[in-house]
Amino acid sequence: MMLHPRDLTARFAASPRVVRALVPFGLGAFAALGHEAWMSGVLAVTAALVLAFLIVPSHRRSAAWFGWLIGLGYFAVTLRWLVEPFLVDPVRHGWMAPFAIILMAGGLALFWALAFWLARWIAGRGASVMVWLAVTLTAMELARGHVLSGFPWGLLSYTLIGGAGSALFASVGPYGMTLLLVAVAGSIAYCLSAGRWLTCAAHGLAFIAVLGVLIWSAIGSIVTSPLPTTTVRLIQPNAPQHQKWDRDWMAVFFDRAIEQTAAGDAPDVVIWPETSIPALLDHAQPWIEQMSIAARGAPVVAGIQRREGDDYFNSAILIKGPQTVAAISDKSHLVPFGEYIPLAWLLEPFGLGTLVERVAGFKPGTGDGMMQIDGLGLVRVLICYEGIFPEEIQRGAVRPDVLLIITNDAWFGKGAGPRQHLVQAQARAIEQGLPVIRAANTGISAVISPSGTITASLALNEAGYLDASVPKPLPATLYARIGDWPLTVLLIVCILGGGLARRRFSVDPKQRHG
């Protein structure tokens, strides 16, 4: 006999506590599989959320705990690569790996806990919580991308990249797509729970109408691009992180990159990955000369660290000739606890300022990250971590022609981390309607079209170089023009409106305080 969704909800509520903990954790972990290449992302996320919304507890405190457990499972699986940096030197740092993943997953899951609590507070004990969760969960994902410098890695919407829904990123961006995805799951769960098939049909028609408008908007911005004329060479030395800064190996990897630069016919532009020059800029002239000679007149963009007084910067430089550094772009969005310590000023009264500088002493850059590069035009340079932030591209007043991401993904290991990072680069291309060039130390180096298609790539953990044509940019997308502000305002209005309506019309004291 088929189990009705309302019976499923009742059975879950009456199940042992351990089951009520393991089920949401498992649903979150299953949703995280949507980020895997072998899994259908939209099906995994939708199925997990539908089941979660059907059995969400009716009390606010229980709903928050339920949401935290789902988030814990989701982030623990999605961010499992976080253990890799601690295994570069396992003797010294390996013991910290479990704590890092548990603390990170548990901390990010707090955003989901608040989303479930807020949705249950607005909806009372009613089934409309399944629909409200689309609003509150999207709002908390937006907050996760900005609070304490933000960490928008592994957004639910990224499971759609590479599928039919990819084009919609050009209209509503990653957070708008998160809203659509969660709203579909919430509507399905609500209709299953209520058994209102007419309501379900109405929701479906409304969704199709909205989807049609968005697709029309996205397609409207796509025009036929001229044939590409610029050939860019991506250098992938494949230096493992445990050897990258070893004095016995630094010259080996540099010489490998020089050989790759000098091979074959001369390209129009050469791109080296993040921190690929093994010297501070002040002392890098001999290295720069070798790079320029190997490039045979082509401009070279390469990652390097530099010092300015007592301050250190993670930078990219543009080399145009053996004696000329034509432009410098400093990384502005630094990695918390890797390149800087958040709220470090709180440690100063305890005399720990020197420790902070030793652990993470980089300073953020203040420029717009733009470089004018012959053959590519105006290029927005993003260094590693900066590429995961949709709003980073919109810092400058002038729209670039190309997005360039240089990164050292050796920190992320050999599996999920680099692939997830690449997917986010695809999202940036679609959102902006711009080609993306991505040079990664250990891979995956790639050229990505403005539609998010990978037109050429070098495999992960392989040394080599890639010559590829760079597609032309498309006109500015709707998302490139408006950003996340309309969505942010919409979510705030919905939450405030829902809260005011609840306080005004709720008459059941048990529902009000449940």
Side-chain angles (χ1 to χ4, degrees), residues 12-32:
F12 176 76
S15 62
R17 181 173 297 181
V18 64
V19 173
R20 283 181 280 140
L22 290 176
V23 167
F25 181 88
L27 289 174
F30 182 74

Side-chain angles (χ1 to χ4, degrees), residues 198-437:
L198 289 178
T199 302
C200 185
H203 283 201
L205 290 174
F207 174 73
I208 291 172
V210 171
L211 198 63
V213 171
L214 293 174
I215 291 176
W216 175 83
S217 173
I219 293 177
S221 66
I222 298 177
V223 297
T224 302
S225 298
L227 291 175
T229 57
T230 300
T231 298
V232 65
R233 174 167 296 181
L234 306 182
I235 303 302
Q236 186 168 299
N238 193 36
Q241 193 59 41
H242 69 282
Q243 294 176 326
K244 180 176 171 61
W245 298 113
D246 187 320
R247 292 184 179 276
D248 295 331
W249 282 95
M250 286 192 295
V252 173
F253 298 127
F254 182 82
D255 290 343
R256 180 184 295 173
I258 288 291
E259 292 174 4
Q260 294 168 356
T261 302
D265 296 331
D268 296 308
V269 182
V270 180
I271 311 294
W272 287 36
E274 179 188 16
T275 58
S276 50
I277 302 177
L280 289 174
L281 182 57
D282 293 348
H283 309 289
Q285 186 57 40
W287 310 80
I288 290 173
E289 289 182 6
Q290 293 182 63
M291 295 167 67
S292 181
I293 293 170
R296 292 157 288 175
V300 180
V301 179
I304 193 170
Q305 296 178 4
R306 72 182 191 91
R307 180 176 58 198
E308 191 173 294
D310 294 330
D311 297 331
Y312 289 82
F313 298 87
N314 187 354
S315 308
I317 59 173
L318 172 61
I319 301 170
K320 297 180 68 175
Q323 305 296 325
T324 305
V325 175
I328 300 174
S329 177
D330 298 321
K331 185 176 183 180
S332 63
H333 210 138
L334 303 178
V335 180
F337 303 104
E339 293 174 319
Y340 84 104
I341 302 296
L343 304 177
W345 57 272
L346 293 175
L347 301 178
E348 294 293 341
F350 302 98
L352 298 177
T354 302
L355 174 62
V356 169
E357 292 296 326
R358 288 178 179 174
V359 172
F362 285 98
K363 297 294 183 181
T366 56
D368 60 8
M370 297 290 191
M371 286 185 181
Q372 187 71 40
I373 302 176
D374 296 342
L376 292 177
L378 189 62
V379 177
R380 174 69 169 94
V381 180
L382 300 159
I383 301 177
C384 192
Y385 188 63
E386 293 180 310
I388 75 172
F389 295 92
E391 68 277 6
E392 281 293 324
I393 292 87
Q394 302 168 22
R395 280 173 48 205
V398 181
R399 184 173 187 253
D401 300 304
V402 176
L403 300 180
L404 170 60
I405 300 175
I406 61 172
T407 184
N408 174 28
D409 283 1
W411 284 110
F412 300 164
K414 300 181 178 181
R419 290 186 173 87
Q420 291 173 11
H421 206 190
L422 175 65
V423 165
Q424 293 172 86
Q426 292 176 264
R428 301 295 85 81
I430 303 168
E431 292 158 8
Q432 301 295 324
L434 295 173
V436 171
I437 301 170

Side-chain angles (χ1 to χ4, degrees), residues 125-188:
R125 295 187 182 181
S128 64
V129 66
M130 304 173 192
V131 179
W132 276 108
L133 275 165
V135 175
T136 59
L137 191 55
T138 302
M140 290 303 107
E141 286 289 84
L142 189 58
R144 175 166 74 88
H146 292 83
V147 171
L148 292 178
S149 85
F151 187 66
W153 192 290
L155 295 176
L156 288 165
S157 59
Y158 291 148
T159 60
L160 298 171
I161 293 295
S166 294
L168 298 182
F169 279 74
S171 296
V172 297
Y175 299 109
M177 286 304 296
T178 296
L179 176 62
L180 288 174
L181 179 58
V182 182
V184 168
S187 297
I188 293 173

Side-chain angles (χ1 to χ4, degrees), residues 443-456:
I444 303 169
S445 299
V447 173
I448 305 169
S449 76
S451 63
T453 302
I454 297 174
T455 60

Side-chain angles (χ1 to χ4, degrees), residues 56-61 63-64 113-140 490-508 510-514:
V56 61
S58 59
H59 294 273
R60 294 198 297 269
R61 185 178 299 175
L114 182 56
F116 276 73
W117 183 94
L118 189 57
R120 179 49 77 190
W121 178 77
I122 294 173
R125 295 187 182 181
S128 64
V129 66
M130 304 173 192
V131 179
W132 276 108
L133 275 165
V135 175
T136 59
L137 191 55
T138 302
M140 290 303 107
L490 174 64
L491 293 173
I492 292 173
V493 169
C494 287
I495 291 172
L496 290 178
L500 291 173
R502 181 194 185 279
R503 291 178 63 86
R504 181 175 180 182
F505 297 112
S506 178
V507 295
D508 184 353
K510 292 182 178 179
Q511 179 173 322
R512 186 176 299 175
H513 301 290

